[in-house]
Amino acid sequence: MKSPKFLLPAAAAGVLALTLSACGGGGGTTGGGGGGDAEQGLDGRGPITYVQGKDNSNVVRPLVDKWNAAHPNEKVTFKEQTDAADQQHDDLVQNYQAKNPNYDVASVDVVWTAEFAAKGWLQPLKDKMAVDTKGMLEPTIEAGSYKGTLYAAPVSSDGGILYYRKDLVPTPPKTWDEMMQMCSIAKANNIGCYAGQFKKYEGLTVNASEAINSFGGSVLDKDGKPSLNTPEAKTGLENLAKAYADGNIPKEAITYQEEEGRQAFQDGKLLFHRNWPYVYNLATTEASSKVKDVLGMTALPGADGPGASSLGGHSAAVSVYSKNKATALDFVKFLTAEEQQKFFATQGSLAPVLGSLYEDKELVAKLPYLPVLKTSIENAVPRPVSPFYPAVTKAIQENAYSAIKGEKTVESALSDMQKSIESASAGQ
Ligand code: GLC
């Protein structure tokens, strides 16, 4: 279990957001509520488009078909993006900037809410456009909100999981050091030991933050200010740099996003792999998977016990430029409804946002790791909440990447990270 002090930055970010919203005096206008565009199309009904990253687990298509069968005059077209988080982000930005009326509903990563809401691109989900969030896990609601207003309805959550080979590792490691010791097993079997997501993109921000948080450091302190020049942050990031230097993290892992890592693990080339819950479904059902019967899942390893995951996940947002917002809202409600949430879990092993589903006997029987996942999500540490998040994440990725590759010392990488985050937040 992670000590409560790791929760402080998250809690502080929440408090800060709420304070600002109170000063702004009235939700809709703070941080850009969409202005005139947010007032238009509220009663509009008709065909819409749903934009989301690659449907790896084939969960979106069946749901869109189900919706379309029931709504012949309000059909949804699924626009599928790539599986790379940064490309999905840039595609949304370009289309919002162009005021594309056809990006009616989009899947928004938890770290994009503040940026998109502040730009005025997302319809505030209140009044006529309100979505009922009762029963949803609190961190998922916070992640869809900006300055106290909900802008994106939680659809799926995400927490990091350590996948491992049950045939080679009888008892999974609880700490990072234990895991590193077990790398001798990988060597003896001529496979790589550990990989997460280490390419220079959002996934590296996730992994570097986890390394730092899991060793008692934090990207932000309790007042929401960067706090990277600490011995704890240093030990955390050093763990990744050392493992890369000594080969416990194989060299090719520096190019991995989620899908490359999953592939390597499924091909039997890794002993341990950090990834999200969606991997469980694919690794146990894809014909080509070599780890089907030997797949172990446990908490991420930390300093003296389980580590701290970064909070991931996606929410559905209605574009202020949509002309059919009444239909868009109904579709968002459909995605968040219990029946669809169950489908996401059983079909794609995605993490539901409804708390009750983690105790649902039928679901837990099918997906026995659900209670562990719920704890991971409840204790997960959000990445910084900022309308300038692109600059913040860039500061984390670029410096973590240089440190892992040994191009900068860990100390100077952290001090540069600190400076860049400070200047990114200066205008806030
Ligand atoms: C997953 C997470 C998301 C994160 C991304 C990084 O999709 O749900 O929050 O930003 O991975 O690649």
Side-chain angles (χ1 to χ4, degrees), residues 83-86 88 109-112 156-159 197 201-204 206 257-258 274 276 311-314 383 389:
D83 56 30
D86 290 15
Q88 296 162 12
D109 191 318
V110 290
V111 285
W112 308 333
S156 60
S157 191
D158 244 351
Q197 293 75 45
Y201 81 114
E202 186 57 38
L204 181 53
V206 166
Q257 302 189 61
E258 282 81 359
R274 181 255 174 248
W276 306 103
L311 180 69
H314 291 83
R383 283 158 278 170
Y389 186 74

Side-chain angles (χ1 to χ4, degrees), residues 253-297:
I254 200 77
T255 65
Y256 286 179
Q257 302 189 61
E258 282 81 359
E259 279 296 88
E260 291 84 3
R262 174 176 77 84
Q263 212 54 62
F265 184 72
Q266 280 189 203
D267 288 348
K269 294 179 185 153
L270 285 171
L271 189 61
F272 299 107
H273 179 41
R274 181 255 174 248
N275 210 321
W276 306 103
Y278 84 100
V279 167
Y280 170 80
N281 164 55
L282 295 172
T284 50
T285 60
E286 282 194 338
S288 60
S289 171
K290 297 206 168 83
V291 298
K292 248 185 227 147
D293 304 319
V294 292
L295 182 71
M297 291 169 84

